[in-house]
Short mmCIF file of all heavy atoms in Angstrom, two decimals:
data_model
loop_
_atom_site.label_atom_id
_atom_site.label_comp_id
_atom_site.label_asym_id
_atom_site.label_seq_id
_atom_site.Cartn_x
_atom_site.Cartn_y
_atom_site.Cartn_z
N SER A 233 -52.64 84.76 7.76
CA SER A 233 -52.27 83.95 8.92
C SER A 233 -51.13 84.64 9.66
O SER A 233 -50.22 85.20 9.03
CB SER A 233 -51.81 82.55 8.50
OG SER A 233 -52.85 81.87 7.82
N VAL A 234 -51.19 84.60 10.99
CA VAL A 234 -50.13 85.15 11.83
C VAL A 234 -49.59 84.00 12.68
O VAL A 234 -50.35 83.40 13.45
CB VAL A 234 -50.64 86.29 12.73
CG1 VAL A 234 -49.52 86.81 13.62
CG2 VAL A 234 -51.20 87.43 11.87
N TYR A 235 -48.31 83.69 12.54
CA TYR A 235 -47.74 82.49 13.16
C TYR A 235 -46.89 82.80 14.38
O TYR A 235 -46.14 83.79 14.40
CB TYR A 235 -46.87 81.75 12.14
CG TYR A 235 -47.65 81.09 11.03
CD1 TYR A 235 -47.81 81.72 9.80
CD2 TYR A 235 -48.24 79.85 11.21
CE1 TYR A 235 -48.54 81.12 8.78
CE2 TYR A 235 -48.96 79.23 10.19
CZ TYR A 235 -49.10 79.88 8.99
OH TYR A 235 -49.82 79.29 7.97
N PRO A 236 -47.03 81.96 15.43
CA PRO A 236 -46.14 82.05 16.58
C PRO A 236 -44.73 81.62 16.15
O PRO A 236 -44.57 80.98 15.11
CB PRO A 236 -46.73 81.05 17.56
CG PRO A 236 -48.11 80.75 17.05
CD PRO A 236 -48.04 80.91 15.58
N PRO A 237 -43.70 81.89 16.94
CA PRO A 237 -43.80 82.67 18.17
C PRO A 237 -43.59 84.17 17.98
O PRO A 237 -43.87 84.95 18.86
CB PRO A 237 -42.66 82.10 19.00
CG PRO A 237 -41.63 81.72 17.98
CD PRO A 237 -42.39 81.26 16.77
N ALA A 238 -43.10 84.60 16.80
CA ALA A 238 -42.72 86.00 16.60
C ALA A 238 -43.80 86.82 15.89
O ALA A 238 -43.66 88.01 15.74
CB ALA A 238 -41.42 86.09 15.81
N GLY A 239 -44.86 86.17 15.42
CA GLY A 239 -45.92 86.91 14.73
C GLY A 239 -45.67 87.04 13.23
O GLY A 239 -46.09 88.02 12.61
N ARG A 240 -45.01 86.05 12.64
CA ARG A 240 -44.72 86.07 11.20
C ARG A 240 -46.03 86.04 10.40
O ARG A 240 -46.95 85.29 10.74
CB ARG A 240 -43.86 84.88 10.83
CG ARG A 240 -43.29 84.89 9.42
CD ARG A 240 -42.23 83.79 9.32
NE ARG A 240 -41.53 83.83 8.05
CZ ARG A 240 -41.82 83.07 7.01
NH1 ARG A 240 -42.84 82.24 7.08
NH2 ARG A 240 -41.12 83.13 5.91
N ILE A 265 -54.05 92.27 12.19
CA ILE A 265 -52.72 91.65 12.16
C ILE A 265 -51.93 92.02 13.41
O ILE A 265 -51.33 91.16 14.06
CB ILE A 265 -51.96 92.09 10.89
CG1 ILE A 265 -52.58 91.45 9.63
CG2 ILE A 265 -50.47 91.72 10.99
CD1 ILE A 265 -52.02 91.98 8.34
N LYS A 266 -51.92 93.29 13.76
CA LYS A 266 -51.16 93.73 14.93
C LYS A 266 -51.74 93.14 16.22
O LYS A 266 -50.98 92.78 17.14
CB LYS A 266 -51.14 95.25 15.00
CG LYS A 266 -50.32 95.89 13.88
CD LYS A 266 -50.37 97.40 13.96
CE LYS A 266 -49.52 98.03 12.85
NZ LYS A 266 -49.57 99.52 12.89
N SER A 267 -53.05 93.02 16.27
CA SER A 267 -53.69 92.41 17.44
C SER A 267 -53.27 90.95 17.58
O SER A 267 -52.94 90.48 18.67
CB SER A 267 -55.22 92.52 17.32
OG SER A 267 -55.86 91.80 18.35
N GLN A 268 -53.28 90.20 16.44
CA GLN A 268 -52.87 88.81 16.47
C GLN A 268 -51.39 88.66 16.83
O GLN A 268 -51.01 87.74 17.55
CB GLN A 268 -53.14 88.15 15.11
CG GLN A 268 -54.61 87.99 14.79
CD GLN A 268 -55.35 87.15 15.82
OE1 GLN A 268 -56.22 87.64 16.52
NE2 GLN A 268 -55.00 85.89 15.91
N GLN A 269 -50.56 89.56 16.33
CA GLN A 269 -49.14 89.51 16.66
C GLN A 269 -48.92 89.70 18.16
O GLN A 269 -48.11 89.01 18.78
CB GLN A 269 -48.37 90.57 15.88
CG GLN A 269 -48.18 90.22 14.41
CD GLN A 269 -47.32 91.24 13.69
OE1 GLN A 269 -47.42 92.45 13.94
NE2 GLN A 269 -46.48 90.78 12.79
N ARG A 270 -49.64 90.64 18.77
CA ARG A 270 -49.52 90.84 20.20
C ARG A 270 -49.91 89.59 20.98
O ARG A 270 -49.27 89.21 21.95
CB ARG A 270 -50.39 92.03 20.66
CG ARG A 270 -49.84 93.40 20.24
CD ARG A 270 -50.55 94.52 20.96
NE ARG A 270 -51.96 94.61 20.58
CZ ARG A 270 -52.42 95.34 19.58
NH1 ARG A 270 -51.58 96.06 18.84
NH2 ARG A 270 -53.71 95.38 19.30
N LYS A 271 -50.97 88.92 20.51
CA LYS A 271 -51.43 87.71 21.18
C LYS A 271 -50.41 86.59 21.11
O LYS A 271 -50.12 85.94 22.13
CB LYS A 271 -52.77 87.26 20.57
CG LYS A 271 -53.97 88.13 20.91
CD LYS A 271 -55.23 87.60 20.26
CE LYS A 271 -56.41 88.49 20.57
NZ LYS A 271 -57.67 88.00 19.90
N VAL A 272 -49.90 86.32 19.91
CA VAL A 272 -48.97 85.18 19.78
C VAL A 272 -47.64 85.45 20.48
O VAL A 272 -47.00 84.53 21.00
CB VAL A 272 -48.74 84.78 18.30
CG1 VAL A 272 -50.04 84.38 17.64
CG2 VAL A 272 -48.06 85.88 17.52
N ARG A 273 -47.22 86.73 20.52
CA ARG A 273 -45.96 87.06 21.19
C ARG A 273 -46.09 86.97 22.72
O ARG A 273 -45.12 86.68 23.40
CB ARG A 273 -45.49 88.44 20.77
CG ARG A 273 -44.98 88.51 19.34
CD ARG A 273 -44.80 89.94 18.87
NE ARG A 273 -44.35 89.99 17.47
CZ ARG A 273 -44.36 91.09 16.74
NH1 ARG A 273 -44.82 92.24 17.23
NH2 ARG A 273 -43.96 91.05 15.48
N ALA A 274 -47.31 87.21 23.21
CA ALA A 274 -47.55 87.16 24.65
C ALA A 274 -47.86 85.75 25.14
O ALA A 274 -47.86 85.50 26.36
CB ALA A 274 -48.68 88.11 25.02
N GLN A 275 -48.18 84.82 24.23
CA GLN A 275 -48.58 83.48 24.62
C GLN A 275 -47.46 82.74 25.36
O GLN A 275 -46.34 82.67 24.89
CB GLN A 275 -48.96 82.68 23.36
CG GLN A 275 -49.38 81.25 23.64
CD GLN A 275 -50.70 81.16 24.37
OE1 GLN A 275 -51.72 81.53 23.82
NE2 GLN A 275 -50.67 80.65 25.59
N LYS A 276 -47.81 82.21 26.52
CA LYS A 276 -46.83 81.43 27.27
C LYS A 276 -46.58 80.12 26.55
O LYS A 276 -47.51 79.51 26.01
CB LYS A 276 -47.35 81.16 28.69
CG LYS A 276 -47.57 82.39 29.53
CD LYS A 276 -48.17 82.03 30.87
CE LYS A 276 -48.48 83.26 31.68
NZ LYS A 276 -49.16 82.90 32.97
N ARG A 277 -45.33 79.65 26.59
CA ARG A 277 -44.99 78.40 25.91
C ARG A 277 -44.21 77.49 26.85
O ARG A 277 -43.42 77.95 27.67
CB ARG A 277 -44.16 78.67 24.65
CG ARG A 277 -44.95 79.48 23.65
CD ARG A 277 -44.40 79.44 22.25
NE ARG A 277 -45.44 80.02 21.38
CZ ARG A 277 -46.40 79.34 20.80
NH1 ARG A 277 -46.44 78.03 20.94
NH2 ARG A 277 -47.29 79.94 20.07
N THR A 370 -51.60 76.01 15.80
CA THR A 370 -52.02 77.38 16.04
C THR A 370 -53.45 77.52 16.54
O THR A 370 -53.87 78.63 16.85
CB THR A 370 -51.90 78.21 14.74
OG1 THR A 370 -52.74 77.64 13.71
CG2 THR A 370 -50.46 78.23 14.24
N VAL A 439 -48.85 76.87 25.92
CA VAL A 439 -49.04 75.93 24.83
C VAL A 439 -47.72 75.19 24.60
O VAL A 439 -46.67 75.63 25.05
CB VAL A 439 -49.49 76.64 23.52
CG1 VAL A 439 -50.85 77.27 23.74
CG2 VAL A 439 -48.47 77.68 23.08
N TRP A 444 -40.68 75.88 14.97
CA TRP A 444 -41.42 76.51 13.86
C TRP A 444 -40.56 76.60 12.63
O TRP A 444 -39.65 77.42 12.52
CB TRP A 444 -41.89 77.90 14.31
CG TRP A 444 -42.99 77.80 15.30
CD1 TRP A 444 -42.87 77.83 16.66
CD2 TRP A 444 -44.37 77.65 15.02
NE1 TRP A 444 -44.10 77.67 17.23
CE2 TRP A 444 -45.02 77.56 16.27
CE3 TRP A 444 -45.12 77.55 13.84
CZ2 TRP A 444 -46.42 77.42 16.37
CZ3 TRP A 444 -46.49 77.39 13.94
CH2 TRP A 444 -47.13 77.32 15.18
N TYR A 446 -41.03 77.21 8.63
CA TYR A 446 -42.03 77.74 7.69
C TYR A 446 -41.76 77.21 6.29
O TYR A 446 -40.62 77.10 5.89
CB TYR A 446 -41.98 79.27 7.69
CG TYR A 446 -42.33 79.88 9.02
CD1 TYR A 446 -41.32 80.23 9.90
CD2 TYR A 446 -43.66 80.05 9.41
CE1 TYR A 446 -41.62 80.78 11.11
CE2 TYR A 446 -43.96 80.61 10.62
CZ TYR A 446 -42.95 80.96 11.47
OH TYR A 446 -43.26 81.52 12.71
#
Side-chain angles (χ1 to χ4, degrees):
S233 299
V234 178
Y235 290 97
R240 190 169 187 262
I265 290 172
K266 291 179 179 179
S267 173
Q268 292 301 115
Q269 286 184 322
R270 287 193 294 270
K271 287 180 182 179
V272 300
R273 288 168 181 166
Q275 179 69 65
K276 297 176 184 177
R277 298 198 168 270
T370 61
V439 297
W444 289 94
Y446 298 95

